[in-house]
Amino acid sequence: MREMCSLPDPLIAGDGTSVESIHAWRQARRPEILDLFATQVYGHTPDQQAQLTFTVTDEDHSALDGNAIRKQVTIKVAVDQQTLEIDLLIYLPHAALTSPAPIFTFLNFGGNHTIHADPTIKLPKSYINPDQLPAAVQRGAKASRFIVEQIVARGYGLATIYHADVDPDFDDGFQNGLHPLLDGPLIRTRDAWGSIGAWAWALSRAMDYFETDDQIDQTRVAVGGHSRLGKTALWAGAQDQRFAVVISNNSGCTGAAISRGKQGETIEAINREFPHWFCHNYRAYNRKEDELPVDQHMLLGLIAPRPLYVCSSTEDEWADPVAEFNSCVQASPVYQLFGQVGIPSYEMPTPDEPLLTGNIGYHLRTGKHDLTAYDWRCFMDFADRQFKAKA
Ligand code: GTR
């Protein structure tokens, strides 16, 4: 049993008052916590408005051997004279033609063409990491992470964006991707957003598109992601309450896992390795986790009362499954304020026995840091319950 550290309480406001109503949570404490995460961890999403245009460049109703609808949408982002194009790939079940489909929205690591061997998927025009082996960016190279046929067969859509279309994942002083368009003044402040903030922004732009597409049910949009993109999905879901379900897969440090007492990756390690993911202020907490005014269970709390699903895997010690599960436990009081269950058991479950009955779902999968067909089946089982409860 790991000794629990003392944690900031999501339901005690900065001025020491206790949060006892949904009203007080919504009006005061939730905005306060959101602002702390923006100022100290992920950076503030700029107010700068961009002009968005959505162009459907491809729509095929007999994709995947006749089993799905495929759409490719170019999201053009324009600010003054600068523009950026982001490719959104969507698969939908045919049922969407008569009744709008619920959809999972995930960023991907290698390019949209890596999620399925479908030869029609556009190749990325944006940056490809030269460290990637050519095989890792071939068509369908990451198909095991997206089981598109099974998702569509269960009545869900899948939407994905290559994260480097939004911001290439390396430390270049924010010269490329979305940052030059939205960052404004040349001198970056210590609370300016990093790559995770920019990726999360793009998930919300996908949501903006869904609102224009009557084959997609905008009230049943799940946002999720694996690893650094799981951290991103949590931050997107915390900020944008249009996402009805939020999924974190193996998101670990500065994702689902509580930082105080964390094993494996620490704040210091992540800031050293990935200085471009967070805001500059976050570095002040290297080896000083106790001084953070928040911890990651409060990020999970920001998703309440919307359903949240967290997944860990047994061999992913770097992410720290115990710290990820404890975070679900510690976020539960926020769900309880809404009269909900939160996580249904405070005992870490046996591997491969998902907790699906609460408003926070969780499983510990046997195996490595990865996103697998098993994980997807659990996400869909959880979403089935949540969306049915809402219907
Ligand atoms: C690791 C990083 C983790 C996790 C992972 C990933 O190197 O330390 O925080 O995000 O990358 O995104 O695959």
Side-chain angles (χ1 to χ4, degrees):
M1 237 348 224
R2 191 179 303 176
E3 206 182 305
M4 278 302 293
C5 300
S6 147
L7 296 173
D9 187 332
L11 297 180
I12 307 272
D15 66 3
T17 53
S18 141
V19 177
E20 282 162 12
S21 67
I22 294 172
H23 181 80
W25 169 260
R26 286 206 163 123
Q27 294 305 307
R29 184 58 171 153
R30 184 179 193 284
E32 179 178 57
I33 296 175
L34 200 54
D35 187 64
L36 288 169
F37 274 105
T39 307
Q40 306 299 337
V41 183
Y42 302 105
H44 285 272
T45 303
D47 294 329
Q48 169 73 52
Q49 292 298 308
Q51 221 187 12
L52 298 180
T53 344
F54 303 117
T55 311
V56 180
T57 59
D58 163 44
E59 178 162 349
D60 179 358
H61 289 203
S62 52
L64 307 183
D65 297 326
N67 292 314
I69 300 168
R70 185 192 59 248
K71 293 186 187 188
Q72 300 191 71
V73 181
T74 304
I75 303 176
K76 185 168 169 190
V77 185
V79 178
D80 301 327
Q81 300 312 310
Q82 302 185 80
T83 58
L84 180 76
E85 288 190 355
I86 299 171
D87 285 330
L88 173 64
L89 168 67
I90 300 172
Y91 288 97
L92 294 171
H94 281 126
L97 293 171
T98 47
S99 170
I103 194 162
F104 290 95
T105 314
F106 276 55
L107 297 174
N108 69 75
F109 282 91
N112 292 348
H113 67 295
T114 63
I115 75 132
H116 195 283
D118 180 346
T120 324
I121 301 175
K122 281 165 74 180
L123 297 173
K125 291 194 288 286
S126 56
Y127 178 84
I128 302 269
N129 185 342
D131 297 341
Q132 296 252 34
L133 295 173
V137 288
Q138 275 168 12
R139 289 189 178 279
K142 293 287 175 190
S144 66
R145 288 192 168 172
F146 285 92
I147 61 161
V148 185
E149 279 85 352
Q150 292 182 50
I151 294 171
V152 167
R154 284 188 56 166
Y156 288 96
L158 172 72
T160 191
I161 288 171
Y162 175 37
H163 74 330
D165 271 12
V166 183
D167 190 19
D169 190 2
F170 64 95
D171 184 16
D172 72 329
F174 302 104
Q175 299 302 303
N176 58 19
L178 187 63
H179 286 278
L181 279 74
L182 293 191
D183 285 8
L186 289 174
I187 300 170
R188 285 173 59 81
T189 53
R190 298 178 75 83
D191 62 355
W193 66 344
S195 297
I196 287 185
W199 297 332
W201 183 93
L203 288 165
S204 288
R205 303 297 71 81
M207 183 76 207
D208 294 342
Y209 169 74
F210 301 155
E211 291 181 334
T212 70
D213 187 328
D214 54 18
Q215 291 166 9
I216 297 171
D217 183 350
Q218 50 184 272
T219 70
R220 292 185 295 161
V221 177
V223 66
H226 169 60
S227 207
R228 70 199 67 182
L229 303 179
K231 309 181 209 295
T232 304
L234 290 170
W235 181 228
Q239 294 178 92
D240 189 339
Q241 297 187 73
R242 294 174 297 172
F243 291 116
V245 170
V246 181
I247 299 165
S248 148
N249 192 73
N250 298 186
S251 64
C253 182
T254 323
I258 288 179
S259 298
R260 285 168 175 78
K262 187 179 178 305
Q263 316 220 328
E265 190 171 32
T266 60
I267 293 178
E268 183 184 36
I270 207 166
N271 276 327
R272 191 186 330 113
E273 190 71 23
F274 306 102
H276 58 293
W277 284 359
F278 309 103
C279 72
H280 204 283
N281 279 338
Y282 196 42
R283 300 176 197 178
Y285 303 102
N286 288 351
R287 284 201 267 167
K288 292 186 183 156
E289 287 80 1
D290 284 336
E291 292 179 17
L292 254 177
V294 288
D295 210 320
Q296 298 306 118
H297 61 302
M298 293 159 79
L299 181 69
L300 304 191
L302 292 177
I303 289 149
R306 293 163 295 149
L308 164 69
Y309 196 86
V310 173
C311 159
S312 310
S313 47
T314 53
E315 292 171 37
D316 193 8
E317 285 157 20
W318 191 235
D320 192 351
V322 171
E324 293 180 316
F325 180 72
N326 278 340
S327 193
C328 298
V329 171
Q330 299 295 333
S332 290
V334 186
Y335 282 79
Q336 287 154 8
L337 183 72
F338 285 87
Q340 295 187 335
V341 177
I343 192 101
S345 161
Y346 285 12
E347 294 273 313
M348 179 97 174
T350 311
D352 310 318
E353 288 189 10
L355 298 175
L356 294 170
T357 58
N359 310 90
I360 303 180
Y362 177 85
H363 74 255
L364 174 63
R365 171 179 47 75
T366 302
K368 290 190 186 356
H369 183 77
D370 199 0
L371 174 59
T372 69
Y374 175 83
D375 299 321
W376 273 103
R377 285 194 288 273
C378 294
F379 305 156
M380 290 190 279
D381 290 347
F382 182 70
D384 282 355
R385 298 176 85 104
Q386 299 297 336
F387 288 146
K388 218 167 276 154
K390 263 182 74 183

